[in-house]
Amino acid sequence: MDNFKTMISIFLRGLLMGISDIMPGISGGTIALITGIYDRLIGSISKIKFMFLKPLFKGNFSKFKQELFEEIDFKFFIPLLLGIAISLFTMAGIIDLLLDDYAAFTYSFFAGLILASVIILYKQLDALNIKTILITIIFAVLGYLFVGLNPIQAAHSFPVLFISGFISICAMLLPGISGSSVLLLLGQYEYMITVLHKLQIVDLLVFIVGAALGFVSMSRVIKFLLENYKSATVAGLIGIMLGSLRVPMNQVIGVDSSQYLICLVIGIIGMIIVLFIETKFEYELI
């Protein structure tokens, strides 16, 4: 029963991550951080070395099965990826509706999520000193500039889709950098939404293969940085998240002044929800 509850809990986190991955401006990594599974996510992905393929090529299926289950945390990945997939296929229309009709309110809520996530990450800093402050400022500026870049006009060829999958999934693993924002920048966001709606299998598979490779490689980089340069890495992540606030803030600034108070209240509600959820989990980054 406890295992079932755990899987349901992971599945629900996957749903939230999938919703955030559709939204340009918020990262699935942020949701993983908020809900306390970021360390397990990075750790589980970085353990995948594909060594289980070796006995498969030799025809040793029992050894293949054994190493496959030792290397891949299926109890974690199956409910998580199932939740993400369901969100990606079912929530795109709802997110489009919210962005079309309630963009400022929606982004205000996500701004609250991001600010609360910054507070959570701040607790992970071993020390606040000039070095970490400078790193935070530098990455905040870089994040601010990145999310303000104009989209690239690119084709939808297989190599472009592969590279887009690779880069966007790397971004998704970083709290504060939205994979959807990267797809927008690469000129692939609207096309990939169409691919999902119409189930264009070949294009989707090419994108997924690129994403899978990015998933595995980027997790190792993040794990290495957190294990060896934790304070600097956390400071950089805080900076990126602060810089990414440019996206929701631009939406809020454009509304009628009479709606500022509503946006503020919604943002505060988002912060309260995140900080409340965070109290239910005891964890640390790797």
Side-chain angles (χ1 to χ4, degrees):
M1 189 65 179
D2 287 340
N3 286 337
F4 178 74
K5 288 181 179 179
T6 300
M7 293 181 72
I8 292 297
S9 178
I10 295 171
F11 170 76
L12 293 176
R13 289 166 168 85
L15 287 176
L16 293 175
M17 288 179 67
I19 293 171
S20 69
D21 289 330
I22 295 175
M23 280 286 298
I26 186 167
S27 165
T30 300
I31 298 299
L33 176 70
I34 290 169
T35 57
I37 61 169
Y38 189 75
D39 52 349
R40 185 174 179 181
L41 175 66
I42 297 300
S44 296
I45 299 170
S46 62
K47 282 175 58 180
I48 302 174
K49 298 179 175 64
F50 299 102
M51 297 303 294
F52 55 82
L53 293 176
K54 190 175 180 180
L56 179 63
F57 293 142
K58 293 181 177 180
N60 190 339
F61 295 106
S62 60
K63 184 69 172 176
F64 162 73
K65 181 179 178 181
Q66 178 187 339
E67 293 194 8
L68 177 68
F69 280 87
E70 287 177 357
E71 197 168 313
I72 299 180
D73 188 355
F74 284 105
K75 290 182 179 179
F76 177 70
F77 283 122
I78 289 177
L80 183 73
L81 294 177
L82 183 61
I84 291 173
I86 289 174
S87 286
L88 290 176
F89 284 108
T90 62
M91 296 299 294
I94 296 174
I95 294 298
D96 284 341
L97 174 66
L98 290 173
L99 290 176
D100 287 341
D101 298 337
Y102 308 99
F105 297 153
T106 303
Y107 276 106
S108 294
F109 182 76
F110 283 119
L113 299 186
I114 294 171
L115 283 172
S117 301
V118 167
I119 296 173
I120 294 171
L121 267 182
Y122 175 78
K123 296 178 182 178
Q124 300 291 333
L125 279 175
D126 293 330
L128 183 63
N129 49 43
I130 294 176
K131 179 183 176 181
T132 54
I133 292 172
L134 283 175
I135 291 173
T136 299
I137 293 172
I138 290 170
F139 277 87
V141 172
L142 291 175
Y144 181 87
L145 294 174
F146 175 80
V147 297
L149 292 175
N150 291 321
I152 299 169
Q153 296 300 319
H156 308 301
S157 63
F158 288 160
V160 171
L161 291 177
F162 177 87
I163 293 170
S164 298
F166 185 94
I167 297 175
S168 62
I169 207 71
C170 288
M172 191 204 80
L173 288 174
L174 291 171
I177 303 181
S178 165
S180 293
S181 293
V182 172
L183 287 179
L184 276 174
L185 179 62
L186 296 174
Q188 304 300 316
Y189 180 73
E190 291 184 10
Y191 183 74
M192 287 310 301
I193 290 294
T194 301
V195 167
L196 284 171
H197 280 311
K198 296 184 177 180
L199 283 179
Q200 296 170 211
I201 301 299
V202 177
D203 287 353
L204 191 58
L205 284 176
V206 172
F207 183 88
I208 289 173
V209 170
L213 291 176
F215 217 54
V216 173
S217 58
M218 190 60 184
S219 67
R220 285 170 167 73
V221 173
I222 297 173
K223 191 172 189 295
F224 173 81
L225 291 174
L226 288 172
E227 286 179 341
N228 297 279
Y229 307 99
K230 181 180 177 182
S231 290
T233 303
V234 172
L237 292 176
I238 290 173
I240 291 171
M241 295 177 77
L242 290 173
S244 72
L245 284 171
R246 176 175 183 171
V247 175
M249 289 300 99
N250 283 345
Q251 294 291 331
V252 174
I253 290 172
V255 303
D256 187 272
S257 58
S258 62
Q259 295 182 324
Y260 283 159
L261 181 59
I262 299 175
C263 290
L264 178 62
V265 171
I266 291 174
I268 292 173
I269 290 172
M271 289 187 68
I272 291 172
I273 290 173
V274 171
L275 294 175
F276 174 76
I277 293 173
E278 194 264 344
T279 62
K280 301 299 180 182
F281 300 95
E282 292 184 5
Y283 63 92
E284 289 187 1
L285 292 173
I286 297 167

